[in-house]
Amino acid sequence: MLKLIENALVAWAELARRGGAVLALVILAATAAAGWYAAGNLKVNTDTSAMLDAELPFQKRSIALRGAFPQIKTDIIVIVRAPTLDEADAYAAELRAAVAADGEAFEAVFAPAQEEFFTENGLLYLSENELESRLTQMTKASSLIETLVKSPTLGTFFTTLADNDALAEQSDLGAETLQALYDEIAATIAAAESGADRPFSWMGALDDETREKPAHTRLLYASPVLDYSRLQPAKPGIEALRAQIDRLDEKYAGRVDAFVTGDPALRVEELEAVTTGIGLSMGLSLIVVTILLLLCYRSVAMASFTLLSLIVTLVLTSAFAAHFIGELNLVSVAFTVLLVGLGLDFAIHLLLHVQERRVDGQNNKEALKGALHEVGPALALAAPTTALAFLSFVPTKFDGIAQLGVIAGAGVIIAFFVSVTFLPAALKRLPVSKKRKRKGAVRGAFAAIEKISAPISIVTILAGIAALLLMPQVRFDADQMSLRNPNAPSVKGFNLLFDDEETIPYRLTRLVTSEDEARATAEQASALDTVATTRSLPDFVPDDQDAKLELIDFAAGTLVFAFDAEPGSVEGPAAADGISVLRARLDKAYTDGPGARLGILLGEVEAANDPALIERIERNVFRYWPALTERLAAQLNADYVDLDTLPESLRSRYLSNDGQWRVDILPEEDVRDYTALKDFVDDVAAIFPDLTGGAYQSIKAGETISASMLQATGIAFVIVTVMLIIFMGRIRLVALVLFPLALAAVLTAGAGVLLDIPFNYANVIVLPLLIGIGVDSGIHLVLRHDQVAAGEGVYGTSTPRAVLFAALTTVASFGSLMLSPHRGTASMGELLSIAIAFTLICTLVVLPAAFSYAERHMPAAIRRSEKITLKSK
């Protein structure tokens, strides 16, 4: 069969050679047309959930969840973080108003803390003890509130504080609140003296719990108008949000951070990271590959022909992907870089053998025919084995990597046909080379390797045995966030969601059909040690409302007069007088602490006698005073809450239009740790097997992909073995090809453990790919070994040189992926480079050592018999 393949390739290549420049131009013209088609039709889908078979049970439940509550996938989340609660509330309120007013970019906006319903009824969500404490604080401050409503000036504020301080513990405010107020005023004055704006935090001064937090967070959920004519339908909304945030950042002098995250933002930035990384990798790999080709051939013409064949392969494969696939995923988008390495192999092997014969004085026709006699069968066998190794993922449930397998498999076949068609046509115009003596530098290097191949092989095999011990530690990382650029703003924002148990994104979700079932699910889940709490619509109906409303009504009797006072109805003392009065009181009463510090600062302000400084201090002290009084007054309007009175913006997130109730189950531990995540999922799944949600998806996706990896690796190994047996016919020869391959696979997996490079969505293709690529090198060396004259050895031919440079170009292309800001793509480059490096060692060192061992220990008659059998095939 191998002889039949050789004759067919020789005939085909001769026809192509006769076609010459005309055929080459036709191929280039077809390539240009294919490039135009690919540019207009090839798209990218950044949804990682679509990379698994939609018919998997957990995928069906995930799709059902997104169908019932589409905002899970479409909402853009803005996380507002500020050093004071006043600033966080003000920033979020302004952003909410801007988004609500932008009907072109957004359909709806939901900012829980800024919604009128929660502003009015927020006190009902406190426990009775917390509510009583809060109302007591508000009541004690009622006199100050009323005074400042009537006269919101620095003079009035400071004079009132001096009066209260003189009363000490008998003052309405109390000593602790006074000290908190002094601390806040001191911070505001110190910032003003340095020329900075540091707004006074009324909430921090008047509320103990608020004061203790180092940072305060507010969330906003924006539902964008989706433009499906764009690659990223939500991008106009994201851009509109970022423009508003830029405007507010300037207004708030950078004191407030706003992070845009959520699925749309993550996908936009992930696509940017992937495309930037692929573009950088593509450019760098082409440069390195060009240098390697010049070193390989020492001929500009040969290097140019090889690069042209690569471009043709890449463009035709892109057109294939555009027509048959249409939409790439975040893994398959890397096919271009993969083919930079893989697409060169056939050309390098063919042209090096052609060059070898041209140097010996043969013309192009004779050199091409002789080269195909030497490597044609190996090329013809290598192409389908590599393609089938890629295609081994197709039967699995991992659709994302299966897509890469289909594209890359087709690309390998395309590269083979380009090499045996375009290159012979191009060679016709290449002038006949002058006969010259071959340089022995490379052969000398290989001769040196041959001398030490035995000890190196022993060390490598021992390392492989040691690597077997690491196999139980090989793991798969199914966390999609581990693939993304950790420095991307959306990823930073996403990680901030873990800071609050209410916003943890890795949660479990169960869909039920009734309120009673939702309550029962929440009750059962809450009893588990791994569950912190649950969230469903009934949870937003406060407990003990009658008692709480009674407390609020009682406090309102005192506070209502304060809030109903006529704003600005009293002029009050001048600011300078208030500063003087408070400074005198503090100097007399305190020698240390906030009071003493404020007294010193007030003395400095008095001494400066700068009206602009005093105006800046007053502006910053009262910046958020109107918002505070408005919010406090609104809280006294609390009314009875039931399911029907909950706002639609909240109801729609927990009760779908078709009557499905959503129950979120939140973890007790940090589920970014895999052990905690698995314990959480397993505990809840033992009660409710019909779960979905991010935590469940992560675990099940990991299990599915791990199984797919093992299945694909097994399929690839079996297919390659069967093909080798069919074409080679001898088990010993097949074993010689497969042994270094298996050794390289074990070493790669072991290196992944030692270097902490787990398998993930992107790099999981490494082992099947290693089988396809590694077996090619073995095929070339084994078949060439059985062709050479006795005693010459395979190192005396151009085949090892071709194997070396084919591997180096592959490492160069794969290695460039490590520079990608996308961690998934970078890990693919890391693990693939390691795999190819081990393959190179095992093929060029261990395999020839195995040849030598076999030559010494196998009877000559058997060796002659195998060679005859192989040649007859």
Side-chain angles (χ1 to χ4, degrees):
M1 185 177 289
L2 292 179
K3 188 64 178 177
L4 181 63
I5 292 173
E6 177 190 327
N7 293 335
L9 283 177
V10 169
W12 176 274
E14 177 58 21
L15 286 174
R17 190 192 66 80
R18 291 178 182 178
V22 174
L23 178 58
L25 289 174
V26 169
I27 292 173
L28 292 177
T31 301
W36 177 82
Y37 176 79
N41 293 276
L42 196 58
K43 296 181 173 61
V44 179
N45 180 3
T46 56
D47 185 1
T48 52
S49 66
M51 292 169 63
L52 297 173
D53 189 346
E55 294 302 311
L56 289 165
F58 71 90
Q59 282 285 85
K60 288 182 177 180
R61 292 197 292 272
S62 178
I63 293 169
L65 175 63
R66 295 197 302 269
F69 302 98
Q71 58 267 46
I72 292 174
K73 295 293 287 185
T74 60
D75 269 6
I76 306 167
I77 303 173
V78 181
I79 302 167
V80 177
R81 283 174 69 88
T84 68
L85 185 58
D86 311 62
E87 290 171 293
D89 276 329
Y91 190 106
E94 284 198 60
L95 185 59
R96 181 191 182 282
V99 172
D102 190 353
E104 292 186 5
F106 302 99
E107 293 179 348
V109 61
F110 178 57
Q114 278 60 53
E115 299 296 322
E116 182 181 358
F117 171 85
F118 288 107
T119 300
E120 293 184 350
N121 298 293
L123 293 177
L124 294 176
Y125 292 93
L126 300 174
S127 69
E128 280 193 64
N129 289 337
E130 291 173 332
L131 176 60
E132 192 168 3
S133 175
R134 179 73 60 84
L135 291 173
T136 299
Q137 287 178 308
M138 291 172 64
T139 302
K140 286 182 177 180
S142 61
S143 177
L144 176 64
I145 292 171
E146 183 177 358
T147 300
L148 293 181
V149 168
K150 292 178 180 178
S151 178
T153 65
L154 206 59
T156 300
F157 185 29
F158 285 179
T159 301
T160 304
L161 288 179
D163 292 342
N164 275 269
D165 194 86
L167 296 173
E169 292 296 338
Q170 285 71 45
S171 78
D172 289 337
L173 292 174
E176 186 178 349
T177 301
L178 279 172
Q179 296 305 310
L181 287 165
Y182 295 158
D183 199 34
E184 271 295 316
I185 296 170
T188 301
I189 292 176
E193 285 183 328
S194 66
D197 282 330
R198 192 275 187 189
F200 182 86
S201 175
W202 289 95
M203 291 300 298
L206 297 177
D207 183 71
D208 296 340
E209 185 180 348
T210 301
R211 189 184 312 132
E212 293 169 359
K213 291 184 177 180
H216 300 270
T217 301
R218 287 290 183 254
L219 297 181
L220 179 144
Y221 301 85
S223 301
V225 174
L226 300 176
D227 180 3
Y228 289 103
S229 66
R230 301 173 63 105
L231 178 60
Q232 295 290 340
K235 194 166 186 178
I238 294 172
E239 292 172 344
L241 261 177
R242 286 175 176 165
Q244 293 294 343
I245 288 170
D246 289 342
R247 177 182 63 83
L248 290 174
D249 284 348
E250 185 175 351
K251 178 178 178 179
Y252 284 79
R255 285 181 52 82
V256 181
D257 293 320
F259 299 89
V260 178
T261 188
D263 193 73
L266 288 167
R267 290 170 64 177
V268 165
E269 290 187 358
E270 185 166 30
L271 180 61
E272 291 172 354
V274 169
T275 52
T276 299
I278 292 297
L280 176 64
S281 299
M282 187 72 175
L284 180 62
S285 63
L286 283 174
I287 293 172
V288 176
V289 162
T290 300
I291 295 171
L292 287 171
L293 290 176
L294 290 172
L295 292 174
C296 173
Y297 297 121
R298 297 189 294 275
S299 165
V300 174
M302 288 290 193
S304 300
F305 288 160
T306 304
L307 287 173
L308 269 176
S309 72
L310 173 63
I311 293 170
V312 171
T313 297
L314 288 174
V315 174
L316 293 180
T317 304
S318 298
F320 169 86
H323 182 73
F324 291 100
I325 305 296
E327 199 172 64
L328 303 177
N329 58 56
L330 291 174
V331 175
S332 61
V333 73
F335 83 89
T336 52
V337 178
L338 296 182
L339 284 179
V340 169
L342 299 175
L344 292 169
D345 290 6
F346 303 105
I348 289 174
H349 278 282
L350 178 61
L351 292 184
L352 264 182
H353 283 79
V354 168
Q355 187 181 49
E356 185 178 38
R357 288 175 171 275
R358 280 166 50 85
V359 168
D360 288 340
Q362 294 183 0
N363 59 35
N364 290 335
K365 180 179 178 180
E366 293 171 341
L368 181 61
K369 182 178 179 181
L372 287 171
H373 165 71
E374 292 172 347
V375 298
L379 293 177
L381 184 55
T385 53
T386 303
L388 287 171
F390 275 116
L391 293 173
S392 63
F393 264 102
V394 173
T396 71
K397 300 295 183 182
F398 191 6
D399 290 350
I401 211 80
Q403 186 183 95
L404 175 60
V406 170
I407 298 171
V412 168
I413 299 302
I414 290 170
F416 169 73
F417 278 104
V418 168
S419 296
V420 298
T421 306
F422 175 74
L423 291 178
L427 281 171
K428 184 175 182 180
R429 292 292 179 181
L430 192 66
V432 176
S433 176
K434 293 181 180 180
K435 184 174 181 178
R436 62 180 187 270
K437 186 178 180 181
R438 299 181 189 177
K439 295 182 179 179
V442 175
R443 281 183 169 79
F446 282 124
I449 292 174
E450 186 175 17
K451 292 178 181 178
I452 59 173
S453 63
I456 294 177
S457 298
I458 292 171
V459 171
T460 305
I461 292 170
L462 291 175
I465 294 171
L468 284 173
L469 302 176
L470 298 174
M471 292 304 101
Q473 300 179 48
V474 174
R475 65 186 179 91
F476 181 86
D477 185 359
D479 183 3
Q480 298 173 9
M481 297 306 298
S482 66
L483 302 180
R484 296 183 164 112
N485 179 7
N487 297 316
S490 62
V491 175
K492 289 181 178 179
F494 183 87
N495 288 329
L496 289 175
L497 294 174
F498 287 93
D499 292 348
D500 187 343
E501 70 171 22
E502 299 290 331
T503 60
I504 291 175
Y506 289 175
R507 56 183 64 189
L508 296 171
T509 300
R510 188 176 186 229
L511 296 182
V512 296
T513 57
S514 69
E515 177 187 347
D516 290 341
E517 203 174 354
R519 291 183 182 275
T521 298
E523 183 178 353
Q524 287 180 269
S526 297
L528 297 172
D529 292 337
T530 53
V531 174
T533 186
T534 62
R535 283 291 171 268
S536 61
L537 201 58
D539 291 321
F540 292 95
V541 177
D543 298 326
D544 305 317
Q545 292 190 63
D546 291 332
K548 293 175 182 177
L549 287 170
E550 186 176 342
L551 287 171
I552 294 171
D553 288 342
F554 182 78
T558 303
L559 291 166
V560 69
F561 295 105
F563 295 121
D564 286 346
E566 182 68 26
S569 58
V570 176
E571 184 174 344
D577 293 339
I579 292 171
S580 179
V581 169
L582 183 57
R583 192 266 311 155
R585 171 61 198 170
L586 296 178
D587 286 349
K588 178 181 178 181
Y590 302 99
T591 58
D592 58 13
R597 178 168 175 258
L598 178 57
I600 294 171
L601 288 170
L602 289 173
E604 293 174 356
V605 174
E606 269 193 294
N609 193 26
D610 182 355
L613 174 61
I614 295 175
E615 191 277 331
R616 179 192 286 268
I617 294 170
E618 184 169 56
R619 184 177 68 249
N620 284 329
V621 166
F622 288 98
R623 179 175 296 183
Y624 298 121
W625 173 251
L628 173 72
T629 56
E630 182 180 344
R631 177 177 287 272
L632 292 178
Q635 288 180 342
L636 301 179
N637 297 327
D639 199 358
Y640 196 85
V641 175
D642 58 27
L643 289 175
D644 293 332
T645 58
L646 291 172
E648 182 58 29
S649 56
L650 175 65
R651 288 174 57 87
S652 64
R653 294 173 183 274
Y654 290 93
L655 180 58
S656 68
N657 292 332
D658 60 353
Q660 294 189 80
W661 295 68
R662 171 183 167 187
V663 182
D664 284 346
I665 304 168
L666 285 72
E668 177 67 31
E669 303 295 333
D670 185 351
V671 289
R672 284 173 290 186
D673 176 74
Y674 179 78
T675 302
L677 175 65
K678 192 161 191 328
D679 290 344
F680 171 56
V681 172
D682 288 346
D683 279 2
V684 182
I687 303 174
F688 307 113
D690 56 346
L691 292 171
T692 184
Y696 193 79
Q697 188 81 3
S698 181
I699 290 293
K700 291 302 178 182
E703 293 173 356
T704 301
I705 296 172
S706 297
S708 296
M709 179 181 70
L710 293 174
Q711 181 185 355
T713 303
I715 291 172
F717 194 83
V718 169
I719 290 176
V720 166
T721 301
V722 170
M723 287 193 65
L724 291 176
I725 291 173
I726 291 172
F727 282 93
M728 290 185 169
R730 290 289 181 177
I731 299 299
R732 186 187 71 86
L733 295 180
V734 173
L736 283 173
V737 173
L738 295 180
F739 171 68
L741 184 62
L743 181 58
V746 171
L747 289 169
T748 299
V753 172
L754 295 176
L755 299 175
D756 193 24
I757 307 175
F759 288 103
N760 56 44
Y761 282 94
N763 65 27
V764 73
I765 199 172
V766 166
L767 291 182
L769 176 60
L770 184 149
I771 292 173
I773 297 175
V775 78
D776 291 353
S777 299
I779 289 170
H780 282 289
L781 284 171
V782 168
L783 293 184
R784 188 64 169 142
H785 176 266
D786 280 274
Q787 286 179 339
V788 296
E792 183 180 356
V794 72
Y795 280 129
T797 71
S798 60
T799 297
R801 182 190 183 96
V803 168
L804 172 64
F805 279 97
L808 290 177
T809 55
T810 303
V811 170
S813 61
F814 290 161
S816 65
L817 291 172
M818 290 188 283
L819 301 177
S820 173
H822 187 260
R823 285 190 292 184
T825 304
S827 73
M828 183 192 294
E830 292 168 354
L831 211 53
L832 284 171
S833 296
I834 292 170
I836 300 305
F838 279 131
T839 301
L840 192 60
I841 293 171
C842 293
T843 302
L844 287 180
V845 179
V846 178
L847 182 57
F851 288 154
S852 178
Y853 180 85
E855 291 286 343
R856 290 195 304 269
H857 293 82
M858 189 174 62
I862 296 179
R863 292 200 303 271
R864 287 194 300 272
S865 173
E866 286 190 346
K867 286 194 175 188
I868 293 170
T869 301
L870 191 62
K871 290 177 180 179
S872 67
K873 295 182 79 72

